[in-house]
Each structure stands twice: as structure tokens, then as C-alpha cells.
């Protein structure tokens, strides 16, 4: 391992920095998705890979540096320019000589980069791959200790009458992941996942896991730049036409707006819907590449039982995203529709110029028949569609332009265009404008903005990052947006705003703190029960946070967070939330053990005022609990490395409520004031 | 007359709230009180009560006694005593406090141990026996053992952080309505502007109450004379106090002022060996 900045890293090892970087991203993703059941593995896969195999800055390509999703185009240019001009860096300290770099960003990328004068062999050779490749095996299990309603005993008669009253499987979840990798060039893997309540080697899952995924992925085999067989991701341009998996939208890092589509990627996550299954290939030279792909998989859908249709034609009203198959009802929707996706992309890249064109065709083998309401009447409601787009990225001098424009078969359009620039060495800015029409259709898209789909939204986003002083920086954005048509729970066209400001302060090498304020204004239908017509009123959410991390000893990191939330819906009383926690991370010198613990006290008036807080967890497992009600939560985690290639994790987390005697809804409900999660994981590298 | 009765009723009502809060824990000692009880990072003999880890950084052994009279009502008084003995790498502390009067009283007695992990970091733990007594045992008396854990870190030469978690196990005091002793987390920091002036900021969250943000400061006006002030947000109150240190003798006087309920004075007499 390369020697890293010892002063920067006082008390904070690489792993902690990696966790911080991930934390800042995931917390917002969960909040946007409002679903803690999501597998974010792919989102952090790249970072985790680079953590194990740091990127050699002396030979990194622009594309590789972009994939860090931490560096601005100017910083990337700065690093590449520096290496070009002065030759290979001999120590990582030299990063400080790159004008565009600053302490904060160096600190953030440190866990993922190295400098090495020797270039690693980039050409693919199967012999090398098999010889030097490494296997990585994860096994994970866990459960909630309290009995959830869906697992409680039930009489035979009652179950016969209501077969959906109980989960079919056990409360344990099991997860298996095997991956064989050679550098960044070759990867083959298998993932299996059984969630709590799903069957395992029984009933509907005679082959074990409820979900299996396998991939084969290779890079740089002569003219073949990327080859994906099995499950894979396809991500192009700014994510308007096709972007499977998750992508970052607004995050506390105000500068991250532009996306860098990586074309094809290996799929390693356990999410049951957001990926492609089939094959894809990218061929070409350094300047020109052509990508073609095909995907066919069964997806979960709500099937309408309608006798009037011709026999053999299925009709479905919605696509299911949860991937849960725990009850006969959930299983009846499972893999009920075949989704076919075919498409291609042409990209021209030269120096700082990038131009791409993407076309994607989507097809379902059933009739899409949504329960159309006024608000969703422009949504995709046919069994096929086509989307085409053009995207670009161009750095001219001190300005980097990026954008994508797309159109779907029905004439719906979407575009996003933006520019990043540095008016002063201390100031970075980004401005981006978007306009997604109310009838634009794309099934897998990750647009930048407020909505989860690039539909019915206009907006302008301005973000900035200002280095006020060496130890003080300000980061913030202002986003104005407009919905030209109704949205779910907003029964009229509406406007909204989203502001964020964060002040980062590092008074000493072993202390980091920040203050963050966020204010979101949106419309939402009034909750006033007396109203005959539920018209939209203003909904305002505010969050105020202070966080400090400090290291009194090299092996010990402590931290606290205080966060207030305020929720106002016009005509209703304000709802408040509060959390306070103490964090401990201890890693004794020369020990095989690491410890994490946290005690949180929380006090939340209502679900609308909930507060999310990221927790350290088993590697590749993500937990960002949403705090609600009043009580406390503890967690403790231990990581044990008996050998360099064998790691164990064990985590126990317990929430104890003081003002409610039960939690959860329906089959997930617990009839006790506590909720205790326990999970463990083993990783074997060989 | 009616006014007087109403006032009495009103005060009793607030006293009950106060009594409920008392069931948990509140910092003791006039030095802490004068600083708005923002005392989780204070290094003095009352660390026995507020943060057992802090006692590790004391120079010499000390004993102290205190009398507190919330809203000048003797029925709400707390009498307490504390002792702390620092060793090279650790500290032993003990304190006892009794709240209430013949009809209702709470007694808390405990011993604490602080361990110095480095010259900048200490951890502490304490075990209490907690007892509630109704009407001279007429209605009975209930007791339980509670724990406390604490930490103090001298992060830099002029910045100290501390934390104290009271009753992490959320113990029950009675089966009836599963009445529990509250969990209380206090997290605070000290910034030393100079040898003679420092300020404390602390957040306290009792599991059953709104978060209280506390700000306090102490100024060493003269070698032997200290003045203090503080603010609390929930309930809103001001604090002020002063202290003298003559030879080994410490005398501290302080009062908190609540805008409805009035003054809550506290006096401390201590000796440093």
C-alpha cells in the first residue's frame, strides 16, 4: 500500500473516508427514494472496487477519473495536465501542486487513488486473468428479532381463509455473492438473494434463493471495448434515454450535476428490476465507439384479470418495483410480463469533446393498461415505445458544457443542458436547465431534478462551492422547478424550490464539522378534511444539521450529529423532529478488530418530519433508518479479520420507543415497543 | 386569596413536571448551575455526578456538598455530596443526592470510575442505586440499579468534547404502566478562549422531553474569584453565579431563573486537598 498523507489522515483511516463519501451520497438517495429496501450496491460498487484497487493517477484516463464521481472536469484536466507536463508523480503529496486541487478534494479521493510509476498492463489476456484474478465471496444473513405479524402463529382455518395473512418463508434473509475479477478488465459473478419472509429451497423457490443474478463482463479485448453477457447495466449520456440502476440527483455536493454514462457495466446488485439481462457489446477505436445491446427478462407486474380480452393476451396495470415475494399475492405478480429492450449508442470522443447518440426500443408482451387518472393520463400506457437521444460534453477553456436531448416515440421530449465553470480559483459553479415534457416516456431513466422520472418538470439549478479560507468552505445550491401538469397528490400545475447551504469547517487536523440548512417548498394537496375539493397548498420541509467528527487518538474517531426538522403544510400544525447522536469508531493498533457504536435519541412528531441518518453497516449492506416517534436507538458493530483475506462483520441495532407500543404496518408490524436487527456477514477473498 | 390558591396550584403543577424530570437526572453543584448546567465537559469534583471521565483530568482530590432549592420551595430541595480522587491514570468518584421531602423522595447513590486512555482521552462508567420513597414508606419504596457511561476528549489544547449517557438500559422503576427511568444523552463542547475564560455548549436530550440546548461560560476575574452565566432553551431560563477559591476552600453560589417559576438557588461548599 502506498503511504498516504499522514497528516490528513490523522485518526481517520481510508475506510472512514470511504464511508463518509458513501454516506453523503446514500443519505440523500434514500430520502428521495423513500424506501429503505433498496440495494445500492451498484452505486458504491465502483468506489468499493477502487478502495481495494486504487486508481493509479499517473496512468488514469479521463473516463476512469470521471467514474470516481468526485472530481470536477477542471480537476481531472488539472491532474492529467500535471502528469503530462511534469511526468509521473512520485508521491501522492504532489497532488497539492495541482492548482485545481484543494485539501478537501484530495482528502476525499485519497482512499481511491495511488501514484505508481509503473503502468499496469491494460491489455486483456485470458491467461493473465485466470492466473492473477481474485475471487471474492460474500455470505450474509440476519433478521429482526421481534416477531412480526407475518410470522406469528396462525390457525389452519384462518390461513386457509386468508392465505395472504402470513409470509411463506422464514424471517431470516440470506444473501450470497461470488465475484471473480481481474483488474478492472474482467469480471464474472453470481448473486443470490432471499429476503425476510421469502421461501428458500421450498415452495415457490425450489432452487433456493428468490432472486439470482449472474454476469460476465470483459473490457479492452482488442477492438472490443466492453462485453457484457448476462445481467448488466446500460448507462448513457445524462440518463434521459437509458440509465439502469441508481444515479445521483441532488446531493449535498452541489457541484455534482453532470453524469458520466459508462455505457455498459457489470451488474452486481440484488435489486430485482433495475438492470438489463441479455448481452451487450461496445466496439470501436479510441475516438469512435459503437454499443449494441439486447435485454429480455420477466418482470413483476400487476395483472388485470379481465375476461373480455382475447385468450392469451395479458393486461397489466402497473410494474412492481419492490421485488418482494413473500405472500401468495406477491408471488402471483412475480415475473408475469416479459420486457424486451434493444438499443444502441454511437459515441465520438476526442480530447475534451464527447458526442453520443442513443436509441432504445422497449416492448412488453402484455397490454399496458394503467388505471388512468387525470394526473397520470400522459404516462406510458402502450406495450412498446422508442426513445432516442443525443448527448454531449465539451470543455472549452474554463467552461465545461454538458447535456442531453431526447424524444420518445409519441413525440414527448426531454432535455437537460448545463455548464460548469470556475470564475475564480476559489469558486466553482454549475448551472443546469432542464425541461421534461409531460408525455416523455423512458422506462429506465435517472434524470437530474426533483422527480424520479424525466417527466412533467422544468427547472433551473444553480450550485456553487466556495473556498472561503483554507479550512472553511461553503457549498450550496438553489433549484427552482415547475410542474406543468398535475402530479401524484398535487392536483394542479405547481412550482417549487429547493435550497441547500452547507458550511464545512476544519479548525484542526483532527476536527471536521459542518452546518447544513435545507429548505424545500413544494405543492401538496391540502389535508383539510372539510374541503370538498382538495386543492394544492404549500408544503415546506426544513432541516438544520450540525455534525462534528473528531479524533482524540489515532485509533479512535468520535462524532456527534444534531438535526432538527420542521414540516409545515399550509392549514396544519407544524411538525418537528430532532435527533442527537454520539458515534464511536475504534480500531486498536495492530488488532484484527474494529468497532463501531452509536447511541441516538430521537423525537419526531410525525412521519412527515422524519429524519434520516446513515449508519455504518456490513460492507455492501446499506442502512439509513428513518427516525419517527420518540425513543432511542443503539447499534454496535464489530469487524474481525482473522486473516487478510477473511473478514467477518456482526451488527446489532435496537430501537426502543418511549411513546408507542408497536411499530410497522400490516404483516411487518411488531407488537412491542422495540425493534432489534441483527445481521452478520463473511467475506472471503481468494 | 383565590389568586394565592391558583398560584399554589400552578406552582405545584410545574413542580410535578419538575419532579418527573427529577426522576431522571439533572446536574448538581453551584458551578454547573451557574453555567446553565452546560457542564458535561467541566473538570471538577461534580464530575462524579455529571461526567465520571472528566474526573481523570483533576489535579487533586476534592470533596464537596451542595444544597439546591428549586423555586425556593423546600419540598423540592436536593441535598447532595460528592468526592473525587484522581490517580495517575484513573479516578474514583462517588456522589449521593436526595431529592424531595417526607412525602416523596428520591435517593441516588453511586460510585464511578474514570480511566485515562491517553493524555487526551478518558472514559467513565458509574453505577447507581436509585430509590423512590413515598410517604415515609407508607406507600412503599422502590429501588433499581442504573448505569451511566461517559467520555471526555481533549481534542486540541483549547477544545474539549464530552458526552454522558444516563441509564442506557432504559430501566423500569415500576411494572405499573411500565414506568421507566428516562434515558438521557448529553453531548457538549468547551472552547477555551484563554486560561481565564471558557464557554460551554451542550445539548441534552431526555428520551421523554424536548431537547435542551445549554450555553454556559466562566470567567476567572481574579486569581481567586470566578463569575459564571448560562442560558437554557427548554425550559427557557437564565443562570448566573460566582465562586471563590481560598486556599483549598471552594464556595460557589448560583441561581437559575425561570420566567414563570422564579429563582432556583444553589450553594456549594467544597475542599480541595
Amino acid at each position: 500500500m502506498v503511504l498516504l498523507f499522514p497528516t490528513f489522515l490523522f485518526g481517520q483511516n481510508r475506510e472512514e473516508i470511504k464511508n463518509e463519501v458513501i454516506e453523503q451520497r446514500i443519505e440523500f438517495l434514500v430520502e428521495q427514494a423513500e424506501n429503505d429496501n433498496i440495494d445500492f450496491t451498484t452505486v458504491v460498487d465502483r468506489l468499493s472496487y477502487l478502495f481495494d484497487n486504487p486508481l493509479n493517477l499517473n496512468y488514469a484516463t479521463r473516463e476512469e477519473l470521471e467514474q470516481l464521481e468526485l472530481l470536477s472536469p477542471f480537476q481531472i484536466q488539472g491532474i492529467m495536465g500535471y502528469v503530462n507536463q511534469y511526468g509521473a508523480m512520485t508521491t501522492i503529496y504532489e497532488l497539492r501542486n495541482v492548482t485545481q486541487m484543494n485539501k478537501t478534494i484530495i482528502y476525499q479521493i485519497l482512499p481511491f487513488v495511488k501514484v505508481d510509476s509503473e503502468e499496469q498492463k491494460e491489455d486483456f489476456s485470458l491467461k493473465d486473468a485466470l492466473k492473477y484474478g481474485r475471487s471474492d465471496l460474500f455470505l450474509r444473513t440476519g433478521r429482526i428479532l421481534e416477531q412480526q405479524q407475518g410470522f406469528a402463529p396462525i390457525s389452519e382455518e384462518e390461513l386457509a381463509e386468508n392465505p395472504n395473512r402470513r409470509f411463506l418463508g422464514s424471517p431470516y434473509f440470506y444473501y450470497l455473492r461470488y465475484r471473480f475479477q481481474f483488474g478492472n478488465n474482467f469480471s464474472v459473478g453470481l448473486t443470490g438473494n432471499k429476503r425476510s419472509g421469502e421461501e428458500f429451497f421450498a415452495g415457490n423457490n425450489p432452487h433456493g434463493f428468490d432472486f439470482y443474478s449472474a454476469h460476465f463482463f470483459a473490457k479492452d479485448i482488442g477492438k472490443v471495448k466492453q462485453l457484457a453477457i448476462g445481467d448488466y447495466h446500460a448507462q448513457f449520456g445524462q440518463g434521459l434515454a437509458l440509465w439502469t440502476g441508481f444515479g445521483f440527483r441532488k446531493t449535498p455536493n452541489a457541484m455534482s450535476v453532470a453524469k458520466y454514462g459508462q455505457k455498459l457495466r457489470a451488474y452486481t446488485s440484488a435489486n430485482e428490476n433495475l438492470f438489463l439481462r441479455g448481452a451487450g457489446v461496445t466496439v470501436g477505436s479510441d475516438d469512435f465507439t459503437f454499443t449494441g445491446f439486447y435485454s429480455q427478462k420477466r418482470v413483476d407486474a400487476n395483472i388485470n384479470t379481465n375476461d373480455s380480452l382475447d385468450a392469451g393476451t395479458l393486461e397489466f396495470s402497473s410494474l412492481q418495483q419492490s421485488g418482494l415475494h413473500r405472500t401468495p399475492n406477491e408471488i402471483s405478480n412475480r415475473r408475469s410480463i416479459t420486457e424486451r429492450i434493444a438499443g444502441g449508442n454511437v459515441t465520438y470522443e476526442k480530447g475534451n469533446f464527447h458526442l453520443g447518440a442513443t436509441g432504445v426500443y422497449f416492448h412488453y408482451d402484455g397490454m399496458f393498461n394503467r388505471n388512468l387518472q387525470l394526473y397520470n393520463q400522459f404516462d406510458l400506457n402502450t406495450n412498446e415505445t422508442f426513445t432516442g437521444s443525443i448527448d454531449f460534453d465539451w470543455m472549452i477553456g474554463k467552461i465545461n458544457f454538458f447535456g442531453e436531448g431526447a424524444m420518445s416515440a409519441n413525440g414527448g421530449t426531454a432535455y437537460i443542458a448545463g455548464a460548469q465553470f470556475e470564475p475564480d480559483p476559489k469558486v466553482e459553479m454549475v448551472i443546469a436547465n432542464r425541461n421534461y415534457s409531460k408525455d416523455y416516456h423512458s422506462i429506465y431513466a435517472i434524470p437530474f431534478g426533483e422527480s424520479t422520472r424525466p417527466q412533467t418538470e422544468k427547472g433551473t439549478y444553480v450550485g456553487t462551492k466556495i473556498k472561503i479560507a483554507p479550512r472553511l468552505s461553503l457549498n450550496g445550491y438553489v433549484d427552482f422547478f415547475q410542474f406543468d401538469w398535475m402530479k401524484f397528490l398535487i392536483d394542479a400545475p405547481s412550482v417549487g424550490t429547493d435550497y441547500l447551504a452547507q458550511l464545512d469547517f476544519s479548525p484542526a487536523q483532527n476536527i471536521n464539522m459542518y452546518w447544513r440548512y435545507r429548505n424545500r417548498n413544494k405543492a401538496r394537496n391540502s389535508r383539510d378534511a372539510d374541503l370538498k375539493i382538495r386543492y394544492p397548498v404549500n408544503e415546506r420541509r426544513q432541516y438544520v444539521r450540525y455534525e462534528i467528527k473528531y479524533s482524540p487518538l489515532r485509533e479512535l474517531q468520535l462524532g456527534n450529529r444534531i438535526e432538527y426538522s420542521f414540516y409545515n403544510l399550509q392549514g396544519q400544525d407544524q411538525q418537528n423532529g430532532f435527533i442527537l447522536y454520539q458515534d464511536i469508531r475504534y480500531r486498536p493498533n495492530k488488532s484484527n478488530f474494529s468497532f463501531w457504536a452509536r447511541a441516538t435519541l430521537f423525537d419526531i412528531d410525525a412521519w412527515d418530519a422524519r429524519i434520516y441518518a446513515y449508519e455504518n453497516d456490513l460492507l455492501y449492506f446499506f442502512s439509513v433508518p428513518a427516525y419517527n416517534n420518540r425513543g432511542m436507538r443503539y447499534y454496535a458493530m464489530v469487524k474481525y479479520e482473522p486473516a487478510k483475506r477473511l473478514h467477518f462483520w456482526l451488527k446489532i441495532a435496537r430501537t426502543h420507543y418511549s411513546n408507542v407500543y408497536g411499530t410497522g404496518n400490516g404483516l411487518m408490524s411488531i407488537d412491542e415497543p422495540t425493534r432489534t436487527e441483527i445481521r452478520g456477514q463473511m467475506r472471503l477473498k481468494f | 386569596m383565590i389568586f394565592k390558591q391558583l398560584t399554589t396550584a400552578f406552582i405545584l403543577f410545574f413542580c410535578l413536571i419538575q419532579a418527573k424530570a427529577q426522576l431522571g437526572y439533572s446536574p448538581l453543584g453551584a458551578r454547573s448551575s451557574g453555567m446553565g448546567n452546560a457542564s458535561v465537559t467541566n473538570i471538577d469534583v461534580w464530575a462524579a455526578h455529571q461526567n465520571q471521565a472528566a474526573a481523570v483530568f483533576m489535579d487533586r482530590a476534592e470533596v464537596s456538598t451542595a444544597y439546591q432549592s428549586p423555586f425556593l420551595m423546600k419540598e423540592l430541595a436536593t441535598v447532595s455530596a460528592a468526592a473525587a480522587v484522581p490517580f495517575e491514570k484513573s479516578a474514583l468518584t462517588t456522589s449521593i443526592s436526595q431529592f424531595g421531602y417526607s412525602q416523596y423522595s428520591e435517593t441516588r447513590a453511586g460510585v464511578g470510575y474514570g480511566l485515562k486512555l491517553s493524555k487526551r482521552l478518558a472514559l467513565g462508567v458509574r453505577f447507581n442505586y436509585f430509590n423512590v420513597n413515598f410517604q415515609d414508606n407508607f406507600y412503599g419504596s422502590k429501588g433499581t440499579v442504573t448505569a451511566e457511561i461517559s467520555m471526555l476528549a481533549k481534542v486540541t489544547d483549547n477544545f474539549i468534547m464530552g458526552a454522558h449517557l444516563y441509564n442506557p438500559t432504559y430501566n423500569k422503576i415500576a411494572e405499573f404502566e411500565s414506568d421507566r427511568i428516562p434515558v438521557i444523552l448529553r453531548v457538549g463542547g468547551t472552547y477555551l478562549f484563554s486560561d481565564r475564560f471558557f464557554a460551554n455548549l451542550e445539548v441534552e436530550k431526555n428520551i421523554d422531553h424536548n431537547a435542551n440546548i445549554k450555553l454556559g461560560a466562566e470567567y476567572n476575574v481574579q486569581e481567586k474569584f470566578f463569575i459564571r452565566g448560562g442560558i437554557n432553551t427548554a425550559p427557557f431560563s437564565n443562570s448566573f453565579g460566582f465562586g471563590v477559591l481560598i486556599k483549598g476552600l471552594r464556595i460557589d453560589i448560583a441561581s437559575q431563573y425561570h420566567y414563570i417559576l422564579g429563582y432556583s438557588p444553589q450553594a456549594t461548599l467544597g475542599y480541595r486537598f
Side-chain angles (χ1 to χ4, degrees), chain B residues 1-13:
Chain B
M1 195 60 199
I2 287 209
F3 177 74
K4 196 174 174 190
Q5 280 171 347
L6 274 176
T7 315
T8 316
F10 192 61
I11 287 174
L12 278 172
F13 171 72

Side-chain angles (χ1 to χ4, degrees), chain A residues 9 27 42 58 98 117 131 153 171 192 303 327 354 377 417 440 456 458 513 521 587 618 620 635 637 646 665:
Chain A
L9 288 171
E27 225 165 40
T42 322
N58 287 330
V98 179
S117 52
K131 193 171 166 196
I303 300 295
T327 61
H354 165 113
Q377 61 167 312
Y440 175 73
T456 327
K458 282 182 195 174
M513 59 176 84
N521 280 288
R587 190 184 177 155
L618 323 176
Y620 290 126
Y635 82 74
M637 182 166 78
L646 182 62
N665 293 317

Side-chain angles (χ1 to χ4, degrees), chain A residues 553 560 582 601 603 630 634 658, chain B residues 118 161 163 168 170 205 207:
Chain A
L553 304 176
N560 299 105
Q582 172 72 49
L601 266 75
D603 197 339
R630 178 192 281 167
Y634 300 131
S658 78
Chain B
S118 85
M161 286 290 293
Y170 204 15
K205 179 71 179 90
I207 197 166

